[in-house]
Structure formats: C-alpha cells, structure tokens
C-alpha cells in the first residue's frame, strides 16, 4: 500500500517555525487548483479548508467541463475560448475523471434549428484546435434515436455537439492528492480564523483545528483567499470596511433514475421559461436535471444552501414539458444546491445574475491579501495560474513558470477509459472489502471507504458518502442505509471509541437529510 500522510503528520508541519511561501485558504476548485500550481512551481505551500475539500460549491456543479454554450448568447467569447482550451488540457491531464459527452438540442421549428446550428458552428470555431468533434444537424429520427425519452410531438430535428463531463468532487480530491504529491500540505477541517499583520502587511494567519480546537499561528509570505462565496468574509478580516465583491446565486439539481432519459447522450433544453438553458444529463447511472439561477444576496449562512420549493417545481415542470415520462417529486433520488460565487459589478442588480459573467478576478488588497474569486470549474487551472503568479509578485518569491498545462493529475492513466481511481486501482483492489458492495443500488465497495480514510483524508461519514464516493448525490435514501456500516469501518481504521462513533452516526443521518427529496404534497 502506498505510504499515507496522516492528519497528525500534516498538523505537525504547522508547528514548524519555518514560514510558508504561500498559504491558500479554501479547498474548492479555486484553492486546490492554486495549491497544485504553487507546489508545482516549487513554492512551500499550505492549503487549509474549513470543512471538507469540495464541501462548498465545488461538489454541487452540473459536472460539465465546457466552453459554456449559453455564454455565447452573452457574447462572452473570450470566456468561451479560454474554457474550451482548458477543456482540452483536462481531457488529457485528468483522463480518468473527464470524458467527452454528446449533447442534443432538439428543435421544434425550422428557425430554431438554424439558429442553434449557427451558434454551435461558432462554438466549433472558438474551439480552434481544441474541438472534440464538430457539431452537426440531426434529423427528427436521429434525435429520437439519440434521446428515446424525449417527447416527439412537433419535433422537427436537432443539433448534436460535444462537451466534457466529469466528477467534480473526485477532481477536487485528485487535485488535493496532486498538490500533496508535489510537496504541498493540505488540511481539511482547519478554518482560517484571523490574519496576522506586521506594519499593515499580512505576514501570517491564525488557524483552528475544528476537530480538537487547537489553535495555530503560522507565518506565510502571502495568503491567497480562495473561499468562494465566503471570500468577502475573509476580505473583511483584512479590511473590515471593504466593499462586497460577490453576489451569490443558487443553482440546484435533481437526480432521477436513468429510465427518464435512457441512452448515453445529454439533452439540452435551449430556452426555459426563465430564459436560461436546462440540461438532463446521464451521470453515473442516473440523470441530473438542472439547473436554476436564483439570486441569494440575503443568505447569511453560506454553508449548505437549501433548495427552494419553487426551484424544484421549476425543474420538474420544465422536464415534464420535454420528457415522455414526466418525473414527479416521488421520483427524486437526491437533490443538491450550490452557490455560484459571481463577481458583483458595482452597478449590478441582484435580480439578474443570469446575465453576469462567470469570469474570474484576482484582487490584491493594501495589506497584500490576494483574493481569487468568480470563475468556474472548467477554468480552475487558468484561474490558479493567474492567482499564483500575482501572489508570487506580492510575496517577492522567485518568478517560476507555470507548468500545469501539461501536468498529469494524480492517478491519470496513460489511456482514457479507466475509472475515477485511475492508476490507484490496484491499491484499491488490494484492500479488504474490494468485493463487498456497500449497497446493492450503489456502485461502491467497502474498500472504497477504507481507501477514502487512508489515502483521501476523509474524516466524516459524509466525506465518504458525498465526496469520495457520490452515494448521497446518486440516491440519498440508499446512501443513508450504509451509514452504520461506514461508521464501523471508520472505527476499525481510526480506532474510534463507541461514543465518538455514535456522534458520527447521528451527524451523518442529519446531514444525509439535506440530500433527501422533499415529501410529495399530501393528497
Ligand atoms: C449550480 C451550479 C452549477 C455549476 N456547474 C458548473 C459546471 O458544470 N461546470 C463548471 O465549470 N462550473 C460550474 N459551476 C461553477 C463552479 O462549480 C464554481 O465556480 C466552483 O466550484 C467554485 O469553486 P471555489 O473553490 O471558488 O468555491 P468553493 O467550492 O465554494 O470553495 C470554497 C471553500 O472555501 C472554504 N472556506 C470558506 N471559509 C473558509 C475559511 N475561513 N477557512 C478555510 N476555508 C474556508 C469553504 O468551506 C469552501 O469549501 C457551477 C456552479 C453552480 C452553483
């Protein structure tokens, strides 16, 4: 078995008096990407995450590595071009986690068909040398063959185009492992609680171990704030009077069984009643329906946003218009909500976040805090490249070239087609429970739980069921029935006392309810 770096070892590194070159706060796509970049440039790198890696927005995306067809409509060509370039790097450097997926846009009249075909030709052009396959028109019969679950009345044809699909939380864990391979120290359950300053400049940070309450004061040449929708809170630790940068917008997804959209191709509904696009996407043996775009400027509690009834109704209503078998509330296997960390242009009205750009920003405060905000999963590498280059300037670190365009991520196999464990698969196969399924309806083994605890820094049952496996995202009720068994494995692996296990189990049941579909209305 590969050598593991225990939490105790990682915490011990915090007690060394040597300053860190770069401290990154936040373990989502932005922060983990920055940790890989900083470590790959040879900087002594520490990343701290308040909860679990990807516990925020980064596990709740639509799971697409895409240029963003809908951004074409907004004329955001630079964003689309950058994203398409990043898509091609990811297909190569994370071949175990990102794969091509065909999307079909049905057309119910000839004008729509021409408009969509023209838009997608532009998408092909912006792909340049990075195109996956060119888009092309489909006849009515071809659309029906590609999407057997689609309503046929009035259908006149469609367009097929290609984008990337991935497992967001697994990519986050893979980035954490890549950064660790490169020498970074990455710790979950370790929030930043304060910034240390000397003569008005940030020189370090105060951290707290959420498991034990132990406090740490560490020295760092530069601090990167990559806390997603929490970024303004961290910016206020530096300057309490700073104007807000972000305007959170909520997006939810429903997960239903695969037979609502049989086949391997995704459906893009080009225009819903709120003027956005909606997807029905095959993912890990289920279908994802999403998403919404609900401004949530009033949210005080940014952790664990809750789906609104109106959002669930909207997705079910929209799906019912286009699928032969309309899903109902009783068909929902899981529901999850995420908050987009959208940049808030000064004049922006909170009610129109669908029109805001997903572009990112790197800001440096007077005290030297580098904030990386906005963006999307697809462009995490580019965002990290910009943020780390800026951070190195702020810290006066030697300028090093960014090597991540060609850097293979942890576990990346030589050929596509492996599962998400990539080259780690033999390590997994050697663990006890490799042949024992966790649950008959879920594609996970007991060995995966042990692997998550030993190799992937899982600390809670939810870490295992939501972000090392995706059980809670696929079928929340089935996942909840595995909690006691996962707890037993934790007890064996970490030598936990019965009292600790009981608390773990109670917390896991409470957290699992967040993914549970709402009860169907009475009557
Ligand atoms: C509904 C939805 C669908 C999306 N779909 C896609 C898609 O298909 N493709 C795509 O490319 N992008 C997509 N995105 C965008 C993408 O998911 C986000 O841009 C990205 O995940 C944001 O990552 P982040 O690291 O900035 O934020 P987060 O993932 O939220 O990470 C920030 C982290 O900082 C931590 N933190 C906060 N405060 C502290 C502190 N004091 N100390 C330590 N840590 C702290 C939080 O716990 C959190 O884990 C989608 C977004 C949403 C909401």
């Amino acid at each position: 078995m590969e050598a593991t770096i225990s939490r105790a070892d990682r915490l011990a590194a915090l007690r060394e008096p040597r300053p860190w070159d770069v401290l990154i706060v936040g373990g989502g796509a932005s922060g983990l990407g920055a940790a890989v970049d900083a470590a790959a440039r040879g900087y002594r790198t520490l990343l701290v995450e308040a909860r679990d890696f990807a516990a925020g927005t980064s596990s709740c995306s639509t799971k697409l590595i895409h240029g963003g067809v809908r951004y074409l409509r907004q004329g955001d060509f630079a964003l689309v071009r950058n994203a398409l370039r990043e898509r091609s790097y990811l297909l190569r450097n994370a071949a175990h986690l990102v794969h091509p997926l065909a999307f079909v846009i049905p057309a119910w009249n000839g004008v729509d068909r021409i408009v969509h075909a023209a838009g997608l030709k532009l998408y092909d052009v912006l792909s340049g040398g990075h195109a996956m396959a060119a888009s092309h028109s489909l006849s009515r019969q071809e659309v029906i063959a590609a999407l057997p679950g689609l309503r046929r009345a009035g259908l006149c044809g469609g367009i097929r185009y290609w984008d990337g699909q991935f497992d967001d939380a697994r990519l986050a864990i893979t980035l954490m492992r890549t950064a660790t391979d490169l020498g970074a120290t990455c710790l979950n359950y370790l929030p930043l609680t304060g910034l240390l300053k000397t003569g008005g400049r940030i020189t370090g940070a105060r951290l707290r171990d959420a498991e034990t309450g132990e406090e740490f004061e560490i020295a760092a040449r530069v601090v990167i704030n990559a806390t997603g929708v929490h970024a303004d809170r961290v910016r206020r630790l530096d300057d309490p009077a700073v104007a807000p940068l972000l305007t959170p917008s909520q997006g939810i997804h429903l997960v239903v069984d695969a037979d609502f959209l049989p086949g391997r191709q995704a459906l893009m509904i080009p225009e819903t009643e709120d003027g956005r696009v909606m997807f029905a996407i095959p993912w890990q043996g289920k279908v994802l329906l999403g998403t919404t775009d609900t401004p949530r400027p009033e949210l005080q509690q940014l952790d664990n946003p809750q789906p609104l009834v109106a959002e669930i109704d909207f997705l079910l209503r929209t799906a019912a218009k286009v699928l032969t078998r309309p899903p109902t509330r009783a068909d929902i296997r899981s529901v999850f909500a995420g908050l987009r960390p959208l940049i808030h242009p000064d004049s922006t009205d909170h009610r129109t976040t669908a029109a805001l750009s997903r572009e990112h920003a790197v800001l440096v405060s007077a005290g030297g805090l580098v904030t990386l905000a906005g963006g999307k999963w697809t462009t995490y590498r580019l965002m990290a490249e910009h943020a780390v280059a800026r951070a190195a300037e702020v810290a006066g670190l030697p300028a090093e070239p960014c090597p991540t365009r060609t850097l293979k991520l942890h576990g990346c196999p030589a050929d596509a087609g492996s599962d998400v464990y990539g080259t780690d698969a033999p390590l997994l196969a050697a663990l006890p429970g490799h042949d024992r399924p966790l649950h008959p309806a879920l594609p996970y083994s007991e060995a995966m739980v042990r692997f998550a605890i030993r190799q992937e820094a899982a600390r809670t049952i939810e870490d295992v069921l939501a972000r090392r496996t995706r059980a809670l995202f696929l079928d929340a009720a089935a996942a909840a029935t595995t909690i006691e068994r996962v707890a037993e494995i934790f007890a064996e692996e970490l030598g936990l006392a019965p009292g600790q296990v009981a608390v773990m189990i109670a917390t896991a049941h409470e957290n699992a309810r967040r993914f549970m579909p709402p009860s169907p209305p009475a009557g």
Side-chain angles (χ1 to χ4, degrees):
M1 172 57 65
E2 192 179 83
T4 57
I5 305 172
S6 69
R7 182 171 179 86
D9 293 339
R10 293 173 205 240
L11 288 169
L14 300 188
R15 299 189 191 95
E16 291 172 20
R18 203 150 60 100
W20 298 88
D21 289 333
V22 184
L23 166 65
I24 296 155
V25 188
S30 309
L32 291 163
V36 169
D37 188 303
R41 292 188 206 220
Y43 302 140
R44 187 164 185 261
T45 303
L46 171 65
L47 177 141
V48 297
E49 161 54 50
R51 298 187 291 157
D52 186 26
F53 305 114
T57 305
S58 294
S59 55
C60 296
S61 77
T62 310
K63 293 139 197 19
L64 299 181
I65 296 296
H66 60 158
V69 169
R70 69 173 178 272
Y71 307 134
L72 285 179
R73 220 183 269 171
Q74 299 170 9
D76 216 338
F77 299 139
L79 175 66
V80 175
R81 200 180 308 106
N82 282 339
L84 289 170
R85 195 179 308 123
E86 293 299 319
R87 184 183 75 178
S88 73
Y89 300 151
L90 264 166
L91 282 162
R92 193 178 56 217
N93 297 330
H96 51 327
L97 296 165
V98 185
H99 59 264
L101 180 70
F103 288 76
V104 174
I105 309 181
W108 282 277
N109 64 62
V111 176
D112 280 355
R113 201 168 165 196
I114 293 165
V115 169
H116 299 146
L120 285 160
K121 280 295 159 223
L122 179 58
Y123 200 60
D124 292 343
V125 169
L126 289 171
S127 301
H130 305 286
M132 297 172 99
S135 62
H136 57 270
S137 293
L138 300 176
S139 66
R140 182 174 190 276
Q141 271 324 103
E142 286 170 325
V143 173
I144 292 167
L147 301 173
L150 187 72
R151 264 179 199 269
R152 294 163 191 197
L155 186 69
C156 71
I159 314 290
R160 181 186 287 126
Y161 74 97
W162 293 80
D163 249 326
Q165 183 181 44
F166 77 126
D167 182 332
D168 49 10
R170 290 290 326 170
L171 182 56
I173 299 305
T174 300
L175 290 173
M176 180 275 289
R177 298 206 63 204
T178 308
T180 307
D181 293 346
L182 292 164
T185 298
C186 300
L187 275 150
N188 49 1
Y189 298 101
L190 198 86
L192 170 117
T193 52
L195 292 166
L196 306 177
K197 286 188 172 181
T198 310
R201 298 289 299 174
I202 294 169
T203 51
R206 200 167 297 117
L207 311 171
R208 186 172 49 79
D209 184 345
E211 294 185 356
T212 61
E214 183 178 357
E215 304 264 354
F216 299 85
E217 286 200 350
I218 59 117
R221 295 199 163 88
V222 63
V223 177
I224 299 180
N225 169 16
T227 52
V229 288
H230 301 259
D232 284 328
R233 224 185 257 171
V234 174
R235 290 171 73 231
R236 281 195 290 271
L237 292 176
D238 173 37
D239 173 2
V242 75
L245 175 66
L246 294 170
T247 178
S249 151
Q250 177 162 300
I252 76 154
H253 291 85
L254 307 179
V255 181
V256 296
D257 284 340
D259 50 13
F260 284 95
L261 187 73
R264 299 168 70 90
Q265 307 195 32
L267 160 65
M268 195 234 242
I269 304 163
E271 180 127 22
T272 60
E273 63 194 53
D274 73 351
R276 304 182 74 246
V277 304
M278 182 180 141
F279 292 104
I281 305 179
W283 188 67
Q284 305 207 357
K286 299 282 179 193
V287 172
L288 287 185
L289 301 175
T291 179
T292 53
D293 201 337
T294 312
R296 299 301 299 267
E298 81 290 356
L299 268 192
Q300 296 306 311
Q301 172 53 275
L302 294 172
D303 291 337
N304 304 328
Q306 291 304 302
L308 303 177
V309 171
E311 292 180 298
I312 294 172
D313 289 346
F314 164 76
L315 292 180
L316 290 175
R317 194 166 61 240
T318 309
K321 285 183 191 158
V322 293
L323 298 182
T324 47
R325 213 183 122 210
T328 66
R329 277 163 184 266
D331 296 311
I332 302 171
R333 296 282 181 200
S334 175
V335 53
F336 58 93
L339 294 174
R340 296 179 188 85
L342 299 184
I343 306 225
H344 180 357
D346 288 340
S347 57
T348 297
D349 181 334
H350 285 310
R351 279 163 300 174
T352 57
T353 55
L356 293 186
S357 164
R358 267 66 174 166
E359 205 83 68
H360 66 275
V362 179
L363 277 80
V364 183
S365 74
L369 179 69
V370 177
T371 295
L372 170 59
K376 54 185 193 149
W377 245 121
T378 306
T379 48
Y380 84 88
R381 194 211 60 81
L382 184 66
M383 294 164 62
E385 181 177 339
H386 292 164
V388 173
R390 195 73 187 91
E393 281 170 20
V394 169
L397 292 166
E400 300 289 348
C402 169
T404 55
R405 279 183 200 185
T406 53
L407 181 81
K408 301 265 189 219
L409 300 187
H410 181 96
C412 181
D415 307 310
S418 93
D419 71 9
V420 293
Y421 292 92
T423 58
D424 277 347
L427 297 176
L428 182 66
L431 287 175
H434 183 58
D435 297 329
R436 262 194 307 281
L438 204 49
H439 184 283
L442 294 169
Y444 306 116
S445 70
E446 290 190 6
M448 290 175 184
V449 180
R450 290 186 199 279
F451 191 82
I453 299 167
R454 291 187 197 180
Q455 307 287 344
E456 299 177 335
R459 305 295 299 172
T460 72
I461 296 169
E462 186 193 323
D463 297 349
V464 170
L465 294 179
R467 293 170 293 273
R468 305 308 182 280
T469 72
R470 309 310 306 273
L472 281 165
F473 285 79
L474 296 183
D475 189 332
T481 67
T482 72
I483 286 174
E484 279 70 15
R485 180 61 194 133
V486 175
E488 281 171 12
I489 300 174
F490 260 102
E492 285 169 29
E493 290 289 325
L494 301 180
L496 303 179
Q500 288 172 288
V501 177
V503 172
M504 262 186 132
I505 291 174
T507 309
H509 278 293
E510 197 182 312
N511 290 344
R513 275 195 281 279
R514 254 188 16 248
F515 296 85
M516 301 275 180
S519 312

